[in-house]
Amino acid sequence: MKSFGLLARIVVAILLGIAIGSVANEWFIKLFATFNGLFGNFLGFVIPLIILGFIAPGIGSMGRGAGKLLGLTGLIAYSSTIIAGIIAFFVAKNIYPTLLSGQSLQAFSDPSEGLSTSFFEVEMAAPMGVMTALLLSFVIGLGIAAIKGNTLLHLTEEFRDIIHLVIEKVIIPLLPFHIFGIFANMTYAGQVTTILSVFAKVFVMIIILHLLYLIVQYTIAGSLSKENPFVMLKKMSPAYFTALGTQSSAATIPVTLKRTKSLKVRESTADFTVPLLANIHLSGSTITLISCALAVVFLQGETVTFGSIMPFILMLGVTMIAAPGVPGGAVMAAIGLLETMLGFGPTMVSLMIALYLAQDSIGTACNVTGDGAITSITDSISKRRNITETDQAEA
């Protein structure tokens, strides 16, 4: 089953959903609409727990060290992630009106319009609101860092492990069935043609954006280290292709570390930054999330201003800290923000998940390849400022 990865299962789910939705009767569609309703409610229940379970220990463990190298790496990584989101916004804002012309249909202004409803619903109230979970995560995480509380840190880490298991053993395995139900329902309602056309166009745009942003990252890194950026990119290509297969930044760390050390950076710097960046540098995932989110918004015939998207991008960079090392972890961590800050409803969230997971491995590949550039930039700056391995964060 491992060889039949999540991407393959998502593709099969989409194809089967389209095929079966075109011939199925209403009873069958309602059956999966019921499953989707239950799954969506459970997802809403667990989102605040995901935020609390991953952000609190992430901030707590990162903030415990006062090392200059930690601060420098974190600042550069966060800046890279935010810049990636801003670029994705402006590209989508200017390209979508032409790229997706004719697909912002009035009939599609409400994505749930025309879809079959479920047989019954089961309310699953979330234990807290998304913003409450975010604030509580910050308070707990910063508190752990301030008091260096080992007991509380271990408690939050164990809670993170529980949530990780929920994602890995429950949510991820059920996602293909959820996506199957969504596409079967949309096919039955006559909306799938628009969605597939958007999928294809957005997919190509995201790949191009990833590659261009990697060139930007390595151009900056090369200018600081006096190396050819394209030679650096070639050296990092094994990490890129490994990530395509693993769909996990964490699982690719050994390859990323080995290839990063070939960029003529200090080994001590690479040993410290690469594992850290695997959790906090998500430029590729951010490009994907912003591009997909704006595509879903565009389908509604709505627009998003820079003033409204910027807080979302800033929060996104924080929310994905220590995102679970499982396929689709970034979009799972971002669902709460999509709902509260961009007003996504259940159907829009489902479309967002499908759009994101269809190319999750490519976003991960961009993340880990960019880690080499961030490490090189960090190393170049730290050399000039005489920051050595003795300045690294203490565990």
Side-chain angles (χ1 to χ4, degrees):
M1 192 68 179
K2 287 185 178 180
S3 60
F4 196 60
L6 179 61
L7 176 58
R9 281 177 278 161
I10 294 298
V11 172
V12 170
I14 291 173
L15 295 177
L16 284 177
I18 294 170
I20 294 176
S22 62
V23 298
N25 57 30
E26 186 177 1
W27 185 91
F28 183 85
I29 299 299
K30 278 181 171 291
L31 181 65
F32 271 90
T34 302
F35 169 80
N36 285 346
L38 294 173
F39 182 86
N41 287 345
F42 177 73
L43 199 57
F45 168 81
V46 83
I47 289 304
L49 303 181
I50 291 175
I51 292 172
L52 183 62
F54 286 96
I55 294 181
I59 294 176
S61 58
M62 281 182 57
R64 298 185 70 192
K68 295 179 182 178
L69 192 59
L70 171 65
L72 178 61
T73 305
L75 178 61
I76 295 173
Y78 183 74
S79 300
S80 174
T81 299
I82 299 307
I83 291 170
I86 293 172
I87 291 174
F89 167 76
F90 281 110
V91 170
K93 182 79 171 177
N94 289 282
I95 289 181
Y96 280 176
T98 301
L99 185 68
L100 306 181
S101 178
Q103 292 173 327
S104 178
L105 305 178
Q106 293 299 320
F108 203 81
S109 59
D110 178 5
S112 62
E113 185 177 343
L115 298 186
S116 294
T117 56
S118 59
F119 287 118
F120 62 89
E121 295 182 3
V122 177
E123 292 294 332
M124 303 181 194
M128 66 187 77
V130 170
M131 291 309 298
T132 301
L134 281 169
L135 291 173
L136 186 59
S137 298
F138 295 150
V139 170
I140 294 175
L142 293 173
I144 291 172
I147 68 173
K148 302 186 184 299
N150 290 325
T151 301
L152 190 54
L153 178 62
H154 292 157
L155 180 64
T156 57
E157 288 175 340
E158 288 181 357
F159 181 65
R160 177 190 61 197
D161 293 341
I162 293 173
I163 299 302
H164 190 148
L165 282 175
V166 172
I167 294 172
E168 190 173 25
K169 302 299 183 182
V170 180
I171 295 178
I172 294 297
L174 290 179
L175 270 177
F177 297 98
H178 181 58
I179 291 172
F180 166 83
I182 288 293
F183 275 83
N185 207 336
M186 287 191 301
T187 301
Y188 183 79
Q191 297 176 346
V192 76
T193 303
T194 297
I195 298 299
L196 288 180
S197 178
V198 170
F199 264 44
K201 293 175 180 178
V202 172
F203 187 84
V204 173
M205 188 195 81
I206 287 172
I207 293 175
I208 294 173
L209 268 178
H210 283 168
L211 295 177
L212 290 176
Y213 195 63
L214 284 174
I215 291 174
V216 170
Q217 288 177 320
Y218 278 92
T219 297
I220 296 172
S223 66
L224 291 174
S225 64
K226 310 301 181 184
E227 291 191 57
N228 187 316
F230 293 99
V231 172
M232 297 173 75
L233 265 171
K234 184 178 179 181
K235 290 179 180 179
M236 290 298 299
S237 60
Y240 183 92
F241 290 106
T242 300
L244 285 178
T246 63
Q247 290 183 259
S248 170
S249 298
T252 313
I253 285 176
V255 178
T256 308
L257 183 60
K258 181 178 180 181
R259 302 315 303 171
T260 299
K261 289 180 179 179
S262 71
L263 301 180
K264 299 180 181 179
V265 302
R266 290 175 294 182
E267 287 198 9
S268 60
T269 301
D271 288 338
F272 175 74
T273 59
V274 169
L276 175 65
L277 291 170
N279 285 321
I280 67 172
H281 181 231
L282 294 149
S283 56
S285 296
T286 301
I287 287 173
T288 303
L289 284 165
I290 297 299
S291 300
C292 292
L294 292 180
V296 173
V297 170
F298 189 88
L299 281 174
Q300 289 186 284
E302 298 180 0
T303 57
V304 177
T305 64
F306 181 71
S308 62
I309 199 68
M310 193 59 195
F312 174 75
I313 294 173
L314 293 173
M315 289 300 298
L316 193 61
V318 176
T319 302
M320 290 193 293
I321 289 177
V326 295
V331 73
M332 291 299 144
I335 289 174
L337 295 181
L338 290 169
E339 293 175 339
T340 57
M341 300 186 76
L342 295 185
F344 275 36
T347 302
M348 295 175 71
V349 168
S350 299
L351 289 176
M352 181 70 189
I353 292 173
L355 268 170
Y356 182 89
L357 291 180
Q359 60 73 71
D360 182 37
S361 59
I362 299 174
T364 302
C366 180
N367 291 340
V368 301
T369 307
D371 291 349
I374 301 301
T375 297
S376 179
I377 293 170
T378 301
D379 191 58
S380 297
I381 295 175
S382 63
K383 284 177 182 176
R384 296 180 183 182
R385 296 188 176 184
N386 295 318
I387 299 174
T388 67
E389 59 271 19
T390 58
D391 295 310
Q392 293 176 10
E394 299 176 358

